[in-house]
Amino acid sequence: MAYLELEDVPTQDDLDRLYVLLRSKLRLDEEEANEAQVFGRWVVAQCASPEPAISKLDKRLRKLDGPSAKKALGDIPGELPQLGPSDRQVDVRETIQNSFGT
């Protein structure tokens, strides 16, 4: 959710694409995918903007699960933007990949 919000408020198409990716890539059921989206919105709201939310989640995932967290997330961010990632999204993705050593 934070990745989507780096550029603007996500469109319904963006949210639908995220929902499908959560279900297929992370093998979440309908309820879990909906909860993941709600939780994502909550985290961004608590952090006041997407960048700190991404940073907090990145650190937390590395602490909790290390490299397997990166593997579990797969390439969801890369598959989200309909017209390709923005410069900010590319920078964030590279930072996260570097933090996981990939």
Side-chain angles (χ1 to χ4, degrees):
M1 191 61 68
Y3 183 81
L4 284 174
E5 291 186 13
L6 281 170
E7 288 310 305
D8 205 350
V9 176
T11 65
Q12 188 59 50
D13 286 343
D14 293 333
L15 296 175
D16 292 345
R17 192 174 301 106
L18 176 60
Y19 176 81
V20 168
L21 289 169
L22 289 171
R23 298 228 28 214
S24 64
K25 298 287 185 179
L26 299 180
R27 297 187 180 122
L28 301 180
D29 64 28
E30 183 177 341
E31 183 178 342
E32 291 169 327
N34 286 328
E35 287 177 7
Q37 285 184 314
V38 169
F39 180 70
R41 284 188 197 112
W42 180 82
V43 169
V44 173
Q46 294 300 305
C47 293
S49 70
E51 288 91 347
I54 290 169
S55 179
K56 280 184 176 274
L57 290 170
D58 177 41
K59 289 175 187 173
R60 187 70 176 151
L61 283 173
R62 279 187 286 125
K63 184 177 180 179
L64 289 174
D65 208 17
S68 51
K70 171 65 177 149
K71 183 179 179 190
L73 291 174
D75 289 327
I76 290 175
E79 295 184 35
L80 284 172
Q82 187 174 11
L83 302 174
S86 70
D87 290 341
R88 287 174 68 198
Q89 289 170 325
V90 168
D91 289 344
V92 164
R93 224 169 135 207
E94 288 174 358
T95 300
I96 291 170
Q97 287 173 340
N98 290 337
S99 74
F100 278 101
T102 58

